Amino acid sequence: MEPTGPSPRKPLPRRWRRSLAFSCAAALILTAARTGTPAARSEPGTHSAPRRAADSARISFTRDVAPVLQKNCQVCHSPGGIGPMPLLTYEHARRHGPLIKQVVQAREMPPYQYDTHIGIQKLQHDWRLSDRDIATILRWVDEGMPEGDPADMPPAPKLPEPGQYQLAAQYGPPDLVIKAAKYSVPAVGQDRWWRPAVPSGLTTDRCIKAIETKPTVAGRSVTHHANSTFVPGNVTTEPDAVGGGGPGSVRLSEYALGKIGEIVPADACRIAPAGSNVLFDIHYFPNGKAVADDQLEVGIWFHGPEVTPQTRHRQTLGLYALQSGSGDFEIEPHGTLVTQGMHRFNTPVRIDSWQPHGHLRLVAKRLEVLYPDGRRETLSMVSNWNPGWHHSHVYAEDAAPLLPAGSVIINTAWYDNTDKNPANPDPDQWVGIGDRTTDEMSHAWIAVTQLDEASYQRLLAQRAKK
């Protein structure tokens, strides 16, 4: 099959991409955390006293822009947050107004790269700004960034503490926290991998409701990825299980830069087996600042004991490769490359989430499905990939694709090793597939709920009634 290709990429200056790579995490949780707060309830123009007609026609910071920043940006752009500058006051926003306009208009911020007019648009925990919010910010900057009436300023939201579990705002404290053994990352050096195994402490099989992998505050900028896998309790180290494929192993989760967590649908069970160990596969990348005794941890929220693997559909998180044949590839200096991989499902399934993965030369990815009757449909598309943010795009429960037996998913990736790619550190280098940050990868993490024919037909009928 011949990929049609992503839409042209809109390059940002390299300096912006570096500063944006670690900005504004956890906006999805901020939305939930602020539900019910005055800021969350406020809509532009609805919380102020009557004003003159001339004033009401103008966009102001206090009345119109501050609510947008509070809802979508301040969780990171605040003291102690990972944003490069605070955006709490009028003075903060005015100082960076032109930059805010540029990154919002390009949909680089908030950092949730997912095409707005292609594929499934109903997503859970969607960070993207609405067209209305974007228009408000652009107009405010174009009109000279007026402050407005200070009386219109909404109350400051309660922001989460740096380092706390983001999903705790939705689910409370995790039911189980599993900590990896400590590891010290030097200031400089090559990529490093740390693969300890620790007991899970589970005495019965449990069904997972949500998972969050959490580096330390100091360690999050050097933690490239962290995979975690349940392995039998007698396994303390098993290099062959790094990919999650060892005998008796079950994938727990995957973390990469910028990812918050995973949420399992209410009718599905991702199993946490009793008597297991958790094997970590943590990839550190020194970035100029040493991090001593870093200790990554995984927080798990469980369904109640009444929810068992026997009463729910089985859900698995898997790595779906995008290359065929030997699985190897190279990108020539100043060259480009397209890779494509397919997977056929022999039973009905539901696709619950899609998480593209790649490094510095990746620029776009797409997920399609080829149905048994020959129809081909694009499910999701990311045309402006950002290597600093690996989101798991979780489909809304009434929009998650239901695929009949015999369906084939098609993953396609586009790579750019030229100087037109602002994330490319060196277009003169050959780039091959590999584990290092400067290598490339070609796969997607996909959460799949396994269905039988009766369950598939029942879910189809339920949706047809809505």
Side-chain angles (χ1 to χ4, degrees):
M1 292 178 187
E2 187 65 26
T4 56
S7 57
R9 196 177 195 186
K10 299 178 180 179
L12 283 176
R14 190 184 301 272
R15 57 199 171 99
W16 291 143
R17 292 192 64 84
R18 282 199 296 266
S19 67
L20 296 174
F22 299 103
S23 301
C24 213
L28 78 161
I29 305 309
L30 180 63
T31 301
R34 281 177 295 188
T35 300
T37 66
R41 292 194 301 268
S42 298
E43 288 292 333
T46 63
H47 52 73
S48 61
R51 56 183 58 80
R52 292 176 300 175
D55 287 343
S56 64
R58 299 190 65 198
I59 297 291
S60 76
F61 175 79
T62 55
R63 184 189 59 211
D64 306 304
V65 175
V68 177
L69 299 183
Q70 289 185 347
K71 183 178 180 181
N72 300 283
C73 308
Q74 291 184 358
V75 65
C76 298
H77 290 277
S78 58
I82 61 176
M85 69 284 196
L87 292 175
L88 302 181
T89 67
Y90 169 69
E91 288 74 19
H92 293 155
R94 187 178 187 280
R95 185 178 306 131
H96 301 287
L99 171 61
I100 295 173
K101 175 185 174 181
Q102 180 180 358
V103 296
V104 165
Q105 189 170 27
R107 289 193 175 275
E108 292 286 341
M109 285 285 131
Y112 191 90
Q113 280 65 46
Y114 189 94
D115 287 15
T116 57
H117 299 95
I118 302 174
I120 297 169
Q121 296 298 311
K122 294 184 68 176
L123 304 171
Q124 300 186 54
H125 309 294
D126 186 350
W127 296 17
R128 294 172 295 178
L129 288 180
S130 67
D131 291 341
R132 179 186 181 190
D133 286 344
I134 292 175
T136 296
I137 291 175
L138 267 56
R139 185 178 161 194
W140 175 67
V141 176
D142 291 342
E143 292 182 355
M145 298 179 284
E147 180 177 12
D149 187 345
D152 290 342
M153 187 71 177
K158 183 180 180 181
L159 299 174
E161 295 293 328
Q164 77 176 53
Y165 278 99
Q166 305 299 324
L167 290 179
Q170 185 171 354
Y171 298 116
D175 297 313
L176 176 65
V177 174
I178 301 173
K179 298 183 179 181
K182 295 180 179 179
Y183 187 84
S184 293
V185 184
V188 295
Q190 297 294 318
D191 299 66
R192 292 163 179 263
W193 285 265
W194 178 228
R195 290 163 176 157
V198 298
S200 69
L202 291 165
T203 56
T204 59
D205 292 347
R206 298 294 302 271
C207 289
I208 295 172
K209 178 164 58 178
I211 311 160
E212 180 178 340
T213 300
K214 186 169 72 66
T216 63
V217 173
R220 60 192 176 194
S221 65
V222 296
T223 307
H224 179 282
H225 82 245
N227 295 337
S228 53
T229 304
F230 288 114
V231 295
N234 61 344
V235 176
T236 56
T237 178
E238 187 184 15
D240 290 343
V242 167
S249 66
V250 179
R251 175 74 65 188
L252 169 58
S253 187
E254 184 276 349
Y255 166 85
L257 281 171
K259 181 176 178 178
I260 300 302
E262 299 168 43
I263 299 172
V264 181
D267 64 352
C269 175
R270 188 182 300 182
I271 192 171
S276 55
N277 283 351
V278 171
L279 179 66
F280 289 92
D281 173 21
I282 306 171
H283 174 187
Y284 288 112
F285 185 67
N287 69 353
K289 185 177 181 179
V291 179
D293 294 331
D294 187 60
Q295 189 170 35
L296 179 139
E297 60 187 57
V298 177
I300 305 175
W301 291 260
F302 294 116
H303 285 292
E306 74 283 1
V307 178
T308 69
Q310 291 73 36
T311 63
R312 294 293 187 273
H313 304 298
R314 179 73 178 272
Q315 192 214 50
T316 56
L317 178 69
L319 182 156
Y320 292 79
L322 276 69
Q323 67 273 24
S324 58
S326 65
D328 198 5
F329 64 74
E330 289 184 322
I331 313 173
E332 64 181 0
H334 303 277
T336 60
L337 179 72
V338 177
T339 65
Q340 194 170 70
M342 304 175 194
H343 179 86
R344 183 182 189 274
F345 293 105
N346 295 323
T347 62
V349 297
R350 182 182 61 204
I351 306 296
D352 294 325
S353 64
W354 175 66
Q355 180 190 338
H357 185 89
H359 294 169
L360 303 175
R361 275 78 174 187
L362 179 69
V363 294
K365 276 199 176 180
R366 181 179 65 197
L367 176 65
E368 300 173 283
V369 58
L370 179 64
Y371 293 98
D373 61 7
R375 289 179 299 121
R376 183 169 170 174
E377 177 185 8
T378 297
L379 301 179
S380 292
M381 181 83 192
V382 172
S383 293
N384 57 341
W385 167 258
N386 182 335
W389 296 93
H390 294 238
H391 291 287
S392 178
H393 304 293
V394 182
Y395 301 114
E397 292 192 6
D398 61 350
L402 293 169
L403 307 185
S407 297
V408 176
I409 54 171
I410 307 168
N411 280 298
T412 307
W414 288 263
Y415 299 89
D416 184 349
N417 193 25
T418 73
D419 57 6
K420 295 180 181 178
N421 176 2
N424 189 355
D426 188 352
D428 293 328
Q429 296 295 320
W430 282 89
V431 179
I433 192 167
D435 291 336
R436 300 177 304 171
T437 303
T438 51
D439 298 326
E440 264 306 338
M441 288 191 171
S442 187
H443 63 264
W445 293 96
I446 301 178
V448 175
T449 292
Q450 309 293 331
L451 304 171
D452 55 28
E453 185 62 29
S455 299
Y456 170 70
Q457 294 296 339
R458 177 173 51 79
L459 290 174
L460 283 179
Q462 289 176 352
R463 289 192 183 180
K465 293 179 180 178
K466 294 182 178 178

